[in-house]
Amino acid sequence: MSSESTEERILAALEEDAQASYSELAERANVSKPTVRKYVNELEETGVIVGYTAEVDPKKLSGQSIAMVGIDVASERYVEATRDLIDLESVRSLYTSSGDHMLMAEVRAADGNALGDVISDDILGIDGVTAAHPSFLQERLK
């Protein structure tokens, strides 16, 4: 038996395949289906599981470009700027960061030009945003 907790095994199975049925998750985590249902419900209710998404290979995505954007924000405008970034439709996910930038955003747009416009107009246009450093995603390797 694995030294991982039941919760860790269920989360690992979900991260491997978020579309798996409770039966499939139970088999992968070596627990019963009711146990999976109980843990998944608890993890959703407590906010550990915040949603289910599809992973996309940017190179195979037609009609859309993706960038990870490091964003710096003036500390006195951090809360307001973060709220404004969350409200942008093109910002698909937003994370706090301990790296080179205060925030990291996954940004999507129709093409490279539109993505550049989102960064230069929408993101840099938010009061308090001091810099945006995009890395355009090209191909998913794993």
Side-chain angles (χ1 to χ4, degrees):
M1 185 85 178
S2 170
S3 63
E4 287 182 304
S5 71
T6 300
E7 181 177 295
E8 290 170 329
R9 292 192 317 272
I10 291 170
L11 282 172
L14 265 173
E15 287 177 331
E16 185 180 308
D17 183 1
Q19 290 185 313
S21 68
Y22 284 155
S23 295
E24 292 168 323
L25 294 171
E27 184 177 319
R28 291 178 190 165
N30 198 25
V31 295
S32 69
K33 192 165 95 172
T35 298
V36 169
R37 185 178 297 111
K38 174 188 153 208
Y39 274 87
V40 169
N41 287 339
E42 287 175 5
L43 292 165
E44 288 174 343
E45 288 173 9
T46 59
V48 173
I49 296 174
V50 294
Y52 299 88
T53 62
E55 294 182 12
V56 176
D57 183 343
K59 189 173 185 177
K60 296 179 181 174
L61 190 61
S62 61
Q64 200 171 67
S65 293
I66 304 172
M68 292 302 295
V69 182
I71 301 171
D72 298 321
V73 180
S75 58
E76 67 274 7
R77 294 286 307 154
Y78 181 81
V79 172
E80 296 85 355
T82 302
R83 286 183 186 146
D84 290 343
L85 287 163
I86 289 169
D87 288 341
L88 291 178
E89 186 177 329
S90 55
V91 173
R92 293 297 183 93
S93 55
L94 184 66
Y95 303 90
T96 58
S97 173
S98 63
D100 293 336
H101 309 289
M102 297 172 81
L103 301 167
M104 293 297 297
E106 177 188 343
V107 181
R108 294 187 185 196
D111 56 33
N113 290 332
L115 199 49
D117 291 343
V118 167
I119 294 165
S120 64
D121 298 341
D122 299 342
I123 293 175
L124 287 169
I126 292 174
D127 187 25
V129 171
T130 59
H133 304 273
S135 292
F136 293 85
L137 303 185
Q138 296 178 340
E139 181 177 8
R140 182 181 176 88
L141 300 175
K142 179 177 178 184

